[in-house]
Amino acid sequence: MTDTENRTHAEDIRAVPVRHYGRWVAGVIIAFVAFIVIRSVVTNANMQWDVVGQYLFNDRVLEGLVNTLKLTAISMVIGVVGGILLAVMRMSPNPLAAGASGTFIWLFRGTPLITQLVIWNYLALFYPRLGIGIPFGPEFVSADTNSLISQLSASLLGLGLNEAAYMAEIVRGGILSVDAGQLEAAAALGLSRSKTLRRIVLPQAMRVIIPPTGNETIAMLKTTSLVVVIGYFELMVATQQIYSQNYRIAPLLIVAALWYLFMTSVLTLIQMQIEKYYARGTSRATATRQKWANRMLGFRFGNRDQGGQR
């Protein structure tokens, strides 16, 4: 083969990357808009950044922050445990258990959370006393409802039970994602229903359950601000109490927003690590998704090598 033919063949197979001018234009526009927004926020005197710095680590703000984290953690524990129990009941062959679970989910998902919080806080209006005893018979233990249901317990009951209704559907979806053949194999090996659930179903379902559970946790962190309607002291109540005294509304709202952004960012990083842990064994799928993502972003891998092979 002559040199001319070699050059012609090389020119025929040379890969020329596609020019994506639209991406460059979009990138310039986005960067310009971002610059304008950031400059406006930083230089806006109404933001009162000096006041934001003054109250960012205020004692009352930090106390409200701690209470917000406590509400989030305890409510999510109630929600996750209750959600697993409700999901198992919902899938039970026992019609009474399935019906009770379905009714609970229907009730708590069908009414606004803020309404549930108010009802729990004023439960004494419906039941002045709560106790344990025999129906239509003697009562063994009883107490005044107002002494049992505090603002904290009303907040936890409202947030936790409402979350359990949503977590039940998330867990049920994760359980249904496990191949039915594995359940048949477990039954053939003589495993009980509870052992099959613990050792086979739930470990695999976690890959489906974890991402929405992480989203629910982040949502719960922000949803705790609804307890302001019953007066429980958390982050938003703390900032409201402060700006009701000094009338610095804008900077104190920014203080609350910054803390929420910080906490949700931390939870997002934790969620990513948990997802990575439960995604072990699926590296091939991850690599494939990354490959296609890189291609969508305009990267090219091995074009010259592929051209040479042709």
Side-chain angles (χ1 to χ4, degrees), residues 3-299:
D3 293 341
T4 303
E5 291 175 342
N6 287 332
R7 284 197 301 270
T8 302
H9 183 66
E11 291 175 357
D12 290 340
I13 64 175
R14 190 179 68 176
V16 178
V18 180
R19 301 291 188 265
H20 299 282
Y21 298 108
R23 295 177 183 174
W24 286 100
V25 173
V28 171
I29 293 174
I30 292 173
F32 180 69
V33 172
F35 171 76
I36 293 176
V37 172
I38 293 173
R39 182 179 180 277
S40 172
V41 170
V42 172
T43 60
N44 190 344
N46 294 325
M47 297 288 185
Q48 303 179 50
W49 290 108
D50 56 333
V51 180
V52 172
Q54 178 184 350
Y55 285 97
L56 191 62
F57 297 99
N58 180 270
D59 291 340
R60 282 188 287 178
V61 171
L62 293 180
E63 182 183 353
L65 176 65
V66 171
N67 288 341
T68 294
L69 292 174
K70 288 179 180 178
L71 276 181
T72 302
I74 301 175
S75 298
M76 282 307 301
V77 169
I78 296 173
V80 171
V81 174
I84 294 174
L85 179 62
L86 289 169
V88 173
M89 291 174 61
R90 186 78 184 273
M91 301 178 68
S92 172
N94 186 332
L96 293 177
S101 174
T103 302
F104 181 96
I105 294 170
W106 166 77
L107 179 62
F108 282 86
R109 291 204 309 172
T111 54
L113 175 57
I114 193 169
T115 304
Q116 296 174 31
L117 287 168
V118 174
I119 289 176
W120 283 114
N121 191 54
Y122 295 104
L123 188 63
L125 295 176
F126 308 96
Y127 298 98
R129 295 187 66 84
L130 296 175
I132 301 174
I134 300 175
F136 309 106
E139 191 176 69
F140 304 127
V141 179
S142 67
D144 181 66
T145 302
N146 283 326
S147 64
L148 294 176
I149 305 296
S150 62
Q151 289 180 336
L152 174 59
S153 56
S155 301
L156 292 175
L157 286 171
L159 294 171
L161 295 180
N162 181 267
E163 183 61 34
Y166 286 92
M167 281 301 304
E169 294 301 291
I170 293 174
V171 174
R172 188 169 71 93
I175 292 174
L176 291 175
S177 69
V178 179
D179 186 71
Q182 300 196 36
L183 302 180
E184 296 174 359
L189 291 173
L191 294 179
S192 65
R193 179 181 174 84
S194 60
K195 189 172 292 186
T196 301
L197 182 67
R198 292 196 314 270
R199 296 190 177 181
I200 297 177
V201 176
L202 284 180
Q204 296 181 74
M206 291 299 287
R207 293 177 181 175
V208 178
I209 295 173
I210 285 296
T213 302
N215 294 335
E216 288 292 312
T217 305
I218 293 172
M220 176 63 74
L221 176 67
K222 296 174 289 185
T223 304
T224 55
S225 60
L226 289 180
V227 301
V228 67
V229 298
I230 61 176
Y232 180 71
F233 191 83
E234 46 79 55
L235 182 57
M236 277 303 301
V237 174
T239 55
Q240 284 184 351
Q241 287 183 0
I242 296 174
Y243 71 62
S244 65
Q245 296 172 355
N246 60 15
Y247 303 104
R248 302 292 184 89
I249 299 175
L252 282 160
L253 288 177
I254 293 175
V255 168
L258 289 175
W259 276 118
Y260 280 118
L261 283 172
F262 172 75
M263 291 186 293
T264 53
S265 300
V266 172
L267 288 177
T268 301
L269 293 175
I270 295 173
Q271 177 186 357
M272 291 171 59
Q273 295 302 317
I274 296 175
E275 287 183 17
K276 186 184 297 184
Y277 174 80
Y278 281 103
R280 293 176 303 173
T282 59
S283 57
R284 181 178 299 179
T286 304
T288 302
R289 288 195 298 269
Q290 185 63 45
K291 180 179 179 181
W292 282 105
N294 290 334
R295 288 187 176 183
M296 291 297 293
L297 291 172
F299 294 105

